[in-house]
Amino acid sequence: MEKGAVLAKSLTLRQVVFVGLAWMTPMIFFTVYGVAFEASGGLLVPAYLVAFLAIFFTAYSYGMMAKAYPIAGSAYTYTKKAVNPQMGFLVGWALLLDYIFSPIIACLTFGIFLNAQFPAIPVPVWIIGINIILAIVNIVGIKSVARISGFSVLLQIAFIVLLCALVIKDIVGGGGTLVSASTFLHPDMSLSTIFAGAAIICFCFLGFDAITTTAEETINPTKTIPKAIFIIVCIAAALYLSVSYFTKIAYPNFSFHHPDTASMELIKLIGGNLLNAIFIAVLVVAIFTQGVSSVTSVSRFLYALGKEAILPRKVFASIHPRFQTPVLNIVIVSVISLISLFISLDTAVTFVSFGALTAFTFVNISVIAHYYVRNRQRSFGQTFRYLIFPLIGAGFIGWLLTLLSKQTLMLGLVWLSIGFVYLFLRKKLSTNSSRERGSEEIA
């Protein structure tokens, strides 16, 4: 690795949007359909609306912070710069759960759905195979990621539009109505259940935040990244709500045997084996590109931590002179992703949700700290933009965070405790080294 090698600045707005949507993966709606359905008590539409509202305010805060600090690092960088370095580290440590487990989920879902379609080939074979391919594609470079992402996103959107058209046909053909309040309200509806579902569903919106890690590879990032964030969130919300709304009207009593493959049962109900075959093909492409994009994001996040010397600089901040990508980080992420051989899908999703929701909370707080407190931007309009909006975002996300399962919260706190110990030991070693150098100079 050459010392002077840097990340190539080449991504346009369109490419950043495609990378973000590919990381988010519109088809993620189907991979977590069963888990989200159970968590929300079957009321996916209100749960997705709550999640969208929470994410919307947080997306606004991400846009504001991307303007202030257009560098890789995401919530870690924003909290470090706006609040303080120690808090920034702990937020970054929490965010590692999000970024590290996202490629794991991609590998795991790839294995689960391919094994369901081709039972003769074991899940571990699919997982190991996709893991190797993801590493190779990422090593080649960011432009290859953007090109693959564009094709995948368009394919996924086309499938979801086709699916909605078929469901609408079933509704109209059966004499039903396309307007129904039952998708939002139900006699047995529980607000706590809807919000608990929204806490899990937030996972489906992850991706808009990940594009902030590509800031150093984006042309004019102070304008491009905020625009891309809002485009991504709005497209995702429209797709998720459309599928949830129309399937609830058409199949109000739908049930399934296993949450991991619930979407396959739904697809067969809508269009039989032919639609299911198309679904599997599109899903394979979608999971693949989500895996590619998530490896891109976590490798860039580790690069940011390496540049700051939070992690060993020689390993994590190194850039390959030929490919201009953090090759060592990509290899490390690929090795860690083999955890997908031993973990369940719902456990991986909750880990991602804990890391993401923690980071989201502090990005909202960072907007207040940077703009309203430090820069004293406190006019009437600025008070709404830099205090009220981020407070709503932080409150919404913080509440959703408390609704995660006790086991998830406990394991998340254990992870944060490990990070705190690492930070303490690192600071102590740094202080001792400084003292030793000072003693040598005096001698």
Side-chain angles (χ1 to χ4, degrees):
M1 306 288 174
E2 287 183 5
K3 234 178 182 179
V6 294
L7 295 170
K9 193 176 285 289
S10 59
L11 295 179
T12 63
L13 174 62
R14 180 178 59 83
Q15 290 173 324
V16 172
V17 168
F18 279 140
V19 168
L21 283 172
W23 199 101
M24 180 183 288
T25 313
M27 293 290 284
I28 200 72
F29 174 91
F30 301 103
T31 60
V32 300
Y33 177 81
V35 175
F37 191 97
E38 288 185 338
S40 63
L43 294 172
L44 287 174
V45 175
Y48 268 103
L49 275 174
V50 170
F52 170 66
L53 288 174
I55 292 297
F56 180 83
F57 286 103
T58 300
Y60 173 83
S61 291
Y62 264 97
M64 291 298 99
M65 295 311 294
K67 286 182 180 179
Y69 303 107
I71 54 177
S74 192
Y76 155 70
T77 297
Y78 305 153
T79 308
K80 176 190 171 185
K81 300 281 189 182
V83 183
N84 67 58
Q86 289 74 32
M87 188 60 70
F89 171 81
L90 290 176
V91 170
W93 191 260
L95 195 58
L96 268 176
L97 279 180
D98 172 3
Y99 286 165
I100 286 175
F101 273 87
S102 291
I104 290 171
I105 288 172
C107 293
L108 184 57
T109 52
F110 189 88
I112 289 171
F113 281 93
L114 266 294
N115 175 255
Q117 192 71 8
F118 306 103
I121 304 176
V123 172
V125 174
W126 293 114
I127 288 175
I128 293 170
I130 188 65
N131 203 20
I132 293 170
I133 294 171
L134 293 180
I136 293 170
V137 172
N138 265 277
I139 287 170
V140 169
I142 192 75
K143 275 200 166 182
S144 66
V145 174
R147 282 192 291 267
I148 293 170
S149 299
F151 168 76
S152 171
V153 166
L154 292 175
L155 187 64
Q156 292 175 66
I157 292 174
F159 177 81
I160 292 173
V161 170
L162 171 65
L163 183 72
C164 287
L166 291 173
V167 175
I168 290 170
K169 183 182 177 183
D170 282 351
I171 296 170
V172 175
T177 175
L178 295 178
V179 180
S180 173
S182 64
T183 57
F184 301 94
L185 302 171
H186 193 274
D188 302 321
M189 184 176 70
S190 166
L191 285 177
S192 61
T193 301
I194 289 172
F195 278 95
I200 298 297
I201 283 169
C202 278
F203 168 75
C204 294
F205 286 93
L206 304 186
F208 78 87
D209 61 310
I211 65 170
T212 60
T213 64
T214 66
E216 293 181 47
E217 296 162 275
T218 299
I219 299 168
N220 196 6
T222 55
K223 290 185 178 180
T224 301
I225 297 295
K227 283 182 183 177
I229 285 172
F230 281 100
I231 292 171
I232 291 166
V233 169
C234 290
I235 289 175
L239 294 172
Y240 299 154
L241 286 168
S242 296
V243 182
S244 302
Y245 179 80
F246 290 122
T247 54
K248 181 64 176 178
I249 293 175
Y251 318 108
N253 300 314
F254 174 71
S255 61
F256 47 83
H257 294 96
H258 198 284
D260 283 358
T261 54
S263 58
M264 291 182 70
E265 296 179 46
L266 177 66
I267 297 298
K268 286 182 179 179
L269 177 64
I270 295 170
N273 290 329
L274 176 60
L275 185 65
N276 187 60
I278 297 171
F279 167 70
I280 291 296
V282 175
L283 189 66
V284 167
V285 175
I287 293 172
F288 172 72
T289 49
Q290 191 271 332
V292 170
S293 298
S294 60
V295 172
T296 299
S297 296
V298 69
S299 62
R300 269 58 176 184
F301 183 63
L302 292 173
Y303 169 77
L305 295 180
K307 273 199 352 178
E308 298 282 345
I310 298 297
L311 296 175
R313 188 189 298 270
K314 287 185 178 179
V315 175
F316 293 97
S318 62
I319 299 295
H320 195 281
R322 178 183 172 188
F323 299 116
Q324 292 184 296
T325 53
V327 172
L328 290 178
N329 291 353
I330 293 166
V331 172
I332 290 169
V333 171
S334 298
V335 172
I336 294 174
S337 293
L338 292 176
I339 292 173
S340 52
L341 293 168
F342 315 104
I343 196 171
S344 68
L345 181 60
D346 57 339
T347 300
V349 169
T350 53
F351 271 128
V352 169
S353 296
F354 177 86
L357 293 176
T358 301
F360 288 0
T361 301
F362 278 92
V363 169
N364 284 297
I365 292 171
S366 295
V367 171
I368 299 170
H370 177 77
Y371 288 99
Y372 195 78
V373 177
R374 181 179 300 170
N375 293 335
R376 298 181 177 276
Q377 298 189 29
R378 300 175 182 175
S379 69
F380 182 77
Q382 289 169 339
T383 297
F384 271 92
R385 282 152 48 199
Y386 305 135
L387 179 64
I388 305 300
F389 286 176
L391 273 178
I392 293 172
F396 237 136
I397 295 294
W399 187 21
L400 293 180
L401 182 60
T402 65
L403 295 175
L404 294 174
S405 69
K406 289 182 180 179
Q407 182 186 14
T408 300
L409 292 173
M410 188 64 66
L411 290 172
L413 290 174
V414 169
W415 174 254
L416 288 177
S417 299
I418 294 170
F420 183 81
V421 171
Y422 175 79
L423 179 63
F424 174 78
L425 293 175
R426 182 177 166 274
K427 194 173 182 181
K428 191 173 182 180
L429 287 171
S430 179
T431 302
N432 290 339
S433 298
S434 298
R435 285 175 181 171
E436 287 175 7
R437 284 197 301 269
S439 298
E440 288 174 2
E441 287 175 6
I442 292 170

